[in-house]
Amino acid sequence: MKGRIGLVLEGGGMRGLFTAGVLDFLMDNNLYFPYVIGVSMGACNAASYISRQRGRNKVVDIDYIDDPRYLSIRNLIREKSLFGMDFIFREIPNKHNLFDYDTFYNSEQSLIVGTTDCCTGKPVYFGRNCGIDILTAIRASSSLPFISPMVEIGGRQLLDGGISDPIPINKAIQDGCEKLVVVLTRNKGYIKKPFKLKAFSKRFYSKHSNLTEALVSRHVLYNETLKRLEQLEEEGRAFIIRPEHPLKVKRIEKNKTRLEELYVEGFKEAELHGDKLKGFIMK
């Protein structure tokens, strides 16, 4: 790879199975980027990519989707989280579908995980060697507003990284990346609509007004980031992989057939553009 190239991974909940397919194609072709940054499900996918565990995210996200410990109203009642965060970030990687910590921490790749500070509404980033369990940072990045509790790290209350920096291309550039490969979970032409729950958010997060403001302005940030990304693409500084058509899969999706199809779509989309991607990397 020529120059410093970064891999940027958008979140999107279960839409992240598209990204899982893309990353499995990259692993099949021994394409490992020196710098990787992701938020929410993008960060989850990034961890298995750096640990060289092909197919791991597909298995976790599809095989466990019917397990009430993974996703259920029961979790919301017991743990105040629709997703079973302890099950996903402690039990699965340490007991069931083991996460390869040794390969992950011995990798020469760097990983940056984006989260949102609930007090400031601003992004907070964690590196692989930040002194905490990286899965805790990814858990914070994946904790969706309203349906997940905040995660405390270093005295900060944190939530979904996609709130304050949904497609972290600017952070990657600030960190020295000259070119970017960006995996999106929305099709070309997608425009994020304004947030409709401002009044509810003000009540729900009554002690965190800046978080509400970040939620309200997220669509502006997202759409502006897309414009910036398309400009980088025109300049030859960004290569974008994304779904060709609007997705049938929702952020919270339990239909295994749709999830499997989305994974395959991600793999095939990366395969379709594989030669161009390799040319972009070597240019």
Side-chain angles (χ1 to χ4, degrees):
M1 295 184 181
K2 293 189 177 181
R4 182 160 170 77
I5 302 178
L7 177 64
V8 181
L9 305 176
E10 182 183 10
M14 303 310 292
R15 293 192 298 268
L17 273 158
F18 177 87
T19 303
V22 172
L23 296 186
D24 280 356
F25 172 84
L26 296 182
M27 284 190 268
D28 285 351
N29 288 270
N30 199 34
L31 295 174
Y32 292 99
F33 295 84
Y35 176 98
V36 184
I37 184 169
V39 297
S40 195
M41 184 61 83
C44 296
N45 282 315
S48 294
Y49 169 66
I50 292 176
S51 67
R52 306 294 199 267
Q53 291 178 275
R54 187 197 188 283
R56 182 176 182 275
N57 279 89
K58 176 189 176 185
V59 170
V60 171
D61 294 334
I62 296 179
D63 289 6
Y64 287 96
I65 195 67
D66 290 330
D67 190 319
R69 295 172 297 175
Y70 185 95
L71 174 64
S72 67
I73 296 297
R74 185 189 72 176
N75 291 333
L76 194 60
I77 297 171
R78 292 181 177 182
E79 304 177 29
K80 297 182 180 180
S81 175
L82 194 60
F83 287 91
M85 304 303 271
D86 283 340
F87 181 68
I88 294 171
F89 291 102
R90 292 182 182 175
E91 192 168 337
I92 289 178
N94 294 307
K95 292 183 179 180
H96 305 302
N97 193 298
L98 300 183
F99 181 65
D100 190 342
Y101 289 95
D102 288 340
T103 298
F104 178 83
Y105 280 108
N106 289 322
S107 173
E108 295 182 357
Q109 294 173 275
S110 64
L111 172 63
I112 304 297
V113 176
T115 68
T116 297
D117 187 316
C118 297
C119 291
T120 67
K122 302 296 183 182
V124 177
Y125 306 97
F126 295 91
R128 184 181 57 192
N129 298 312
C130 60
I132 65 167
D133 176 10
I134 193 64
L135 294 187
T136 301
I138 296 175
R139 174 177 179 161
S141 184
S142 305
S143 294
L144 302 176
F146 308 116
I147 61 170
S148 298
M150 299 173 186
V151 176
E152 182 174 342
I153 300 178
R156 289 189 172 103
Q157 298 292 321
L158 306 170
L159 279 176
D160 177 16
I163 298 171
S164 57
D165 195 4
I167 311 171
I169 58 173
N170 290 327
K171 172 63 175 172
I173 293 171
Q174 290 170 7
D175 286 345
C177 292
E178 300 169 5
K179 296 194 296 184
L180 304 174
V181 174
V182 183
V183 183
L184 302 178
T185 53
R186 292 291 195 179
N187 56 288
K188 187 176 179 62
Y190 171 79
I191 298 175
K192 182 171 285 296
K193 297 179 181 178
F195 183 66
K196 297 181 179 180
L197 300 174
K198 183 175 181 178
F200 174 75
S201 180
K202 281 186 173 182
R203 293 194 300 272
F204 196 93
Y205 294 118
S206 59
K207 297 181 180 179
H208 299 88
S209 59
N210 288 327
L211 176 61
T212 292
E213 291 306 313
L215 287 165
V216 170
S217 61
R218 177 166 54 169
H219 72 288
V220 176
L221 174 63
Y222 186 92
N223 295 332
E224 287 179 348
T225 302
L226 283 181
K227 290 180 181 179
R228 173 62 174 151
L229 180 55
E230 290 172 358
Q231 180 183 353
L232 291 172
E233 184 181 36
E234 292 177 1
E235 295 171 359
R237 297 173 58 195
F239 189 97
I240 305 172
I241 302 174
R242 56 184 158 195
E244 184 177 356
H245 304 291
L247 299 183
K248 298 178 181 178
V249 170
K250 302 183 291 291
R251 176 181 287 271
I252 300 174
E253 176 68 66
K254 297 193 70 172
N255 186 306
K256 285 189 174 183
T257 299
R258 289 181 180 176
L259 294 173
E260 177 74 32
E261 290 173 349
L262 183 58
Y263 167 83
V264 172
E265 180 181 349
F267 187 94
K268 289 186 175 180
E269 194 67 25
E271 186 177 43
L272 177 65
H273 299 289
D275 290 340
K276 290 182 179 179
L277 173 61
K278 292 173 185 177
F280 174 82
I281 291 170
M282 298 308 298
K283 186 180 297 183

